[in-house]
Amino acid sequence: MPLMKEKTVLVTGGAGFLGSHLCERLLEQGNEVLCVDNYFTGRKQNILHLLESPHFEILRHDVTFPLYVEVDEIYNLACPASPVHYQFDPVQTTKTSVHGAINMLGLAKRIKAKILQASTSEVYGDPEMHPQREEYWGNVNPIGPRSCYDEGKRCAETLFFDYHRQHGLEIKVARIFNTYGPRMALDDGRVVSNFILQALRGEPITIYGEGQQTRSFCYVDDLVEGMIRLMNDTPGDFTGPMNLGNPGEFTIMELAETVLELTGSKSEIVFRPLPENDPMQRKPDISLAKSTIGWEPTIRLHDGLRKTIEYFKAFTASI
């Protein structure tokens, strides 16, 4: 891939699972990268290997407070993204999405920087449209246990588009569907990391509900490529929102069986009650991404899971 013109890029949540991969790719492209994280869910281990680069800088900061730096672009990824973490302190989760968006948009306005919001498929709630297209407004419970994240991200999208309309700010909004890969947190409670850890430890594989709910799993390298293409899209007046995810659809039972196959684990499968407001279907329509930025995932679930399993094996062996 040819090197792009050097830019100074701010990545909030840059020490997280997705953020660390994004920082890595931006550095590979010849950019100066400022990684901002308060380490609530991000981990220094995710970015230690980047410290060797003179073009990489870390700043410990909480985006619910204003930030004053000079950059060319901003990727706003800061927010706990798994139910275990965002339900731990739901008020702070909402503040991170809303106050964080206000602070990053204010910064972008002041320095005239282009800014991308890492939104989520959770803005669709438990969808009545399948697969989900960007024009769908969603089916979200505004007062449930997941609402701090769902509604926080929806409000952040509102702020982004209001700043765009009112101040002419150049924005990009990516709606990210389930993403997995190396550097996922062991305790994030997501289905891929849960199943892999349980299989490697020989523990029962826990499925909530009957396992017939569906998800679409996108490998992290594919997702990062989509985000960067969206940020660099021309013409610059294209805002999104744009779905980024893998349209391949699997039941949770199929995922469990695949993990058992790839790990060679003898773990049994056990069933537990389905959590409140857990969506039954998740599948992105990525027609817009294909036609606008020429993007679609290329890494098959089996291949991505193998890489993720190897990471978890190495990581758990080191602790």
Side-chain angles (χ1 to χ4, degrees):
M1 184 181 217
L3 291 180
M4 302 167 64
K5 182 181 177 181
E6 181 184 299
K7 296 170 291 194
T8 301
V9 184
L10 165 62
V11 180
T12 71
F17 158 55
L18 184 54
S20 64
H21 285 276
L22 177 60
C23 287
E24 192 171 67
R25 184 76 66 86
L26 291 168
L27 283 171
E28 290 172 357
Q29 293 182 338
N31 299 294
E32 298 282 335
V33 176
L34 173 59
C35 167
V36 169
D37 208 297
N38 70 347
Y39 301 112
F40 174 60
T41 56
R43 297 183 301 123
K44 290 181 180 178
Q45 294 96 317
N46 288 340
I47 51 175
L48 282 179
H49 65 295
L50 302 179
L51 293 176
E52 302 171 358
S53 171
H55 305 289
F56 182 70
E57 183 179 357
I58 305 172
L59 176 62
R60 188 182 193 118
H61 181 81
D62 188 326
V63 296
T64 61
F65 297 93
L67 179 63
Y68 302 98
V69 293
E70 301 294 327
V71 297
D72 301 304
E73 293 179 350
I74 302 168
Y75 287 82
N76 186 37
L77 276 62
C79 188
S82 71
V84 168
H85 291 143
Y86 66 64
Q87 292 176 359
F88 174 76
D89 188 345
V91 172
Q92 185 63 25
T93 295
T94 304
K95 285 182 177 180
T96 301
S97 288
V98 178
H99 291 183
I102 290 170
N103 288 329
M104 290 304 106
L105 287 163
L107 172 62
K109 177 189 170 188
R110 181 180 68 81
I111 61 178
K112 297 180 172 58
K114 181 162 52 171
I115 181 168
L116 182 146
Q117 167 68 2
S119 190
T120 171
S121 61
E122 297 295 335
V123 300
Y124 299 123
D126 190 0
E128 296 173 344
M129 170 187 282
H130 190 73
Q132 293 83 59
R133 297 195 301 269
E134 289 85 353
E135 62 266 28
Y136 178 52
W137 290 356
N139 177 37
V140 178
N141 178 358
I143 58 172
R146 301 169 67 104
S147 304
C148 58
Y149 185 69
D150 303 1
E151 296 288 34
K153 288 288 191 178
R154 285 163 68 93
C155 185
E157 286 196 16
T158 299
L159 286 162
F160 265 70
F161 279 91
D162 284 338
Y163 265 80
H164 172 66
R165 286 185 287 258
Q166 188 170 340
H167 302 295
L169 198 63
E170 190 172 356
I171 67 165
K172 308 286 180 178
V173 175
R175 289 178 177 164
I176 297 171
F177 284 68
N178 288 53
T179 305
Y180 71 99
R183 299 185 208 140
M184 294 182 78
L186 274 64
D187 62 347
D188 69 2
R190 298 190 207 190
V191 66
V192 172
S193 53
N194 276 359
F195 285 1
I196 291 176
L197 277 176
Q198 290 169 340
L200 292 177
R201 292 169 175 169
E203 300 170 353
I205 301 288
T206 306
I207 289 182
Y208 294 95
E210 298 178 358
Q212 296 309 302
Q213 64 269 44
T214 65
R215 295 293 184 270
S216 302
F217 302 101
C218 186
Y219 190 67
V220 63
D221 289 354
D222 280 333
L223 197 284
V224 166
E225 175 68 21
M227 292 178 69
I228 292 175
R229 287 196 191 191
L230 175 57
M231 177 66 98
N232 296 324
D233 171 66
T234 51
D237 59 357
F238 177 79
T239 61
M242 176 182 286
N243 290 338
L244 293 179
N246 195 320
E249 188 176 14
F250 298 87
T251 67
I252 297 301
M253 178 63 78
E254 287 173 325
L255 176 69
E257 291 169 346
T258 302
V259 169
L260 288 173
E261 173 195 339
L262 294 176
T263 58
S265 174
K266 302 300 182 183
S267 295
E268 63 174 332
I269 294 176
V270 297
F271 298 89
R272 297 287 183 267
L274 193 67
E276 183 180 353
N277 297 144
D278 192 55
M280 288 304 297
Q281 291 181 308
R282 274 282 186 269
K283 178 181 178 180
D285 183 320
I286 61 169
S287 302
L288 182 62
K290 287 182 179 179
S291 63
T292 306
I293 60 173
W295 176 87
E296 62 180 317
T298 61
I299 299 172
R300 295 170 54 249
L301 180 63
H302 271 67
D303 297 331
L305 283 176
R306 285 192 185 95
K307 295 179 182 180
T308 308
I309 290 167
E310 289 306 310
Y311 168 81
F312 273 80
K313 281 182 179 177
F315 189 85
T316 53
S318 66
I319 57 175

